[in-house]
Amino acid sequence: MDVNWEALRRRARELTKRAYAPYSHFPVGAAGLAEDGRVVVGCNVENAGYGVTLCAECGLISDLVAGGGGHLLAFCCVDAMGTTIMPCGRCRQLLWEHGGPTMLIDTPAGVQTMAEVLPQAFGIDDLDRVTNQQEKS
Ligand code: THU
């Protein structure tokens, strides 16, 4: 499936307007393309308990799962200026679960794969490897 990156970036930028970021004043918007063609979105939602802030990616993954699940093919997130930013480390892990190594991600250095931005990722394969081993013994 062709990825309309301009449309995804535009949607992500729109989402920055919905962000709840009264503490950092750093709104983030995210948009992703699911394999069935759905566009899923998220924005950051901060909290007076700073540590429980939800990144834009959390909302996007929730939108994906609540809307029927499926695999993510492409993802981008932007700041309030519309500039492409990288997901934080925790959110790369979230994206890995639902996009896997081949998911395309818009980065300041151009479009890359998840495998490039999260090398040697921990994932479900690691869990399965041990579970399968335990079943044999
Ligand atoms: N933020 C995101 O929404 N996604 C990221 O990947 C990086 C950081 C948000 C969290 C916080 O509300 C604000 O940006 C400043 O860290």
Side-chain angles (χ1 to χ4, degrees):
M1 193 188 302
D2 272 350
V3 180
N4 185 341
W5 287 106
E6 274 318 308
L8 275 190
R9 289 183 197 118
R10 198 166 44 243
R11 204 66 192 100
R13 188 163 191 183
E14 283 167 12
L15 262 291
T16 64
K17 308 273 192 319
R18 303 261 173 91
Y20 177 73
Y23 305 107
S24 71
H25 306 288
F26 191 84
V28 178
L33 177 66
E35 63 190 339
D36 63 359
R38 265 180 305 148
V39 171
V40 291
V41 295
C43 59
N44 53 337
V45 180
E46 297 185 347
N47 191 280
Y50 295 169
V52 298
T53 284
L54 302 174
C55 284
E57 292 84 343
C58 300
L60 179 142
I61 295 297
S62 186
D63 190 18
L64 175 73
V65 173
H71 209 66
L72 271 182
L73 297 179
F75 170 86
C76 72
C77 61
V78 302
D79 64 21
M81 316 289 288
T83 302
T84 300
I85 56 170
M86 289 304 288
C88 72
R90 175 184 182 278
C91 290
R92 292 182 205 194
Q93 181 70 27
L94 275 184
L95 290 165
W96 181 273
E97 180 86 11
H98 301 275
T102 59
M103 190 197 83
L104 298 175
I105 174 165
D106 199 24
T107 86
V111 174
Q112 297 189 323
T113 64
M114 271 309 287
E116 287 174 294
V117 304
L118 191 64
Q120 301 194 58
F122 178 83
I124 192 167
D125 293 346
D126 296 285
L127 298 179
D128 287 346
R129 186 172 36 78
V130 173
T131 308
N132 294 340
Q133 198 59 42
Q134 281 166 346
E135 277 166 7
K136 276 188 213 144
S137 59

